């Protein structure tokens, strides 16, 4: 599978899975040795933190849609500009833009870093914790 297809699947699995209340397919796109440098949660290693994040997202948000705005792919790397529309479980709307950098290997995401305005995700307003 191409890097572009893995990235397209990432967003399809996230958006459709959230709408269906089951993010297991999205979690399945991450490699067992996955590493993420997440702007709010810091460095996360392994697929387990993503499973925790998936559960927390389903609890903490009533709406979560990520729109792809631009995808640039070179070999096993991708850079994505996105926009998110979300509503927290306490009714706060979040709309912001950001960028993600990915590395893909064997049809799995092995590395992800993200960059976005953190103000809309203020912990007083929105869920941000990846820890149990």
């Amino acid at each position: 599978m191409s890097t572009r297809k893995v990235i397209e699947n990432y967003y399809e699995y996230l958006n459709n899975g959230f709408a269906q209340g089951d993010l297991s397919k999205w979690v399945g796109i991450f490699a067992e040795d996955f590493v993420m440098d997440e702007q709010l949660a810091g460095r996360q290693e392994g697929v387990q933190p993503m499973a925790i994040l998936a559960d927390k997202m389903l609890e903490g948000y009533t709406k979560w849609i990520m729109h792809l705005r631009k995808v640039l792919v070179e070999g096993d790397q991708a850079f994505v500009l996105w926009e998110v529309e979300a509503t927290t479980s306490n009714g706060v709307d979040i709309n912001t833009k950001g960028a993600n950098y990915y590395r893909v290997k064997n049809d799995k995401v092995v590395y992800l870093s993200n960059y976005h305005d953190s103000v809309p995700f203020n912990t007083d307003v929105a869920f941000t914790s990846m820890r149990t």
Side-chain angles (χ1 to χ4, degrees):
M1 180 179 333
S2 71
T3 298
R4 177 173 292 278
K5 183 62 177 164
V6 171
I7 298 306
E8 289 170 352
N9 286 349
Y10 174 100
Y11 288 90
E12 177 184 338
Y13 297 167
L14 176 59
N15 290 335
N16 291 344
F18 189 88
Q20 297 167 4
D22 180 4
L23 289 170
S24 59
K25 196 169 182 180
W26 178 68
V27 171
I29 207 161
F30 299 102
E32 288 298 320
D33 60 349
F34 172 72
V35 174
M36 176 172 66
D37 290 311
E38 208 282 328
Q39 187 170 337
L40 299 172
R43 188 170 191 89
Q44 303 291 318
E45 296 183 8
V47 73
Q48 187 58 31
M50 299 312 290
I52 293 168
L53 174 62
D55 290 343
K56 299 281 186 168
M57 285 178 69
L58 290 170
E59 293 171 12
Y61 291 94
T62 60
K63 175 183 176 184
W64 186 276
I65 303 169
M66 291 195 81
H67 302 282
L68 289 172
R69 297 301 185 214
K70 184 79 169 176
V71 179
L72 303 170
V73 175
E74 185 175 309
D76 66 350
Q77 300 176 79
F79 182 78
V80 175
L81 298 176
W82 51 261
E83 187 171 345
V84 67
E85 287 180 64
T87 304
T88 67
S89 57
N90 58 357
V92 176
D93 290 329
I94 296 174
N95 295 295
T96 195
K97 298 174 184 175
N100 287 5
Y101 168 76
Y102 299 87
R103 280 197 314 263
V104 173
K105 183 177 179 183
N106 299 323
D107 301 335
K108 299 280 188 178
V109 175
V110 296
Y111 180 78
L112 163 63
S113 59
N114 69 2
Y115 311 91
H116 58 80
D117 181 2
S118 60
V119 172
F121 295 96
N122 180 306
T123 54
D124 292 338
V125 175
F127 162 77
T128 58
S129 177
M130 293 181 67
R131 308 206 192 283
T132 57

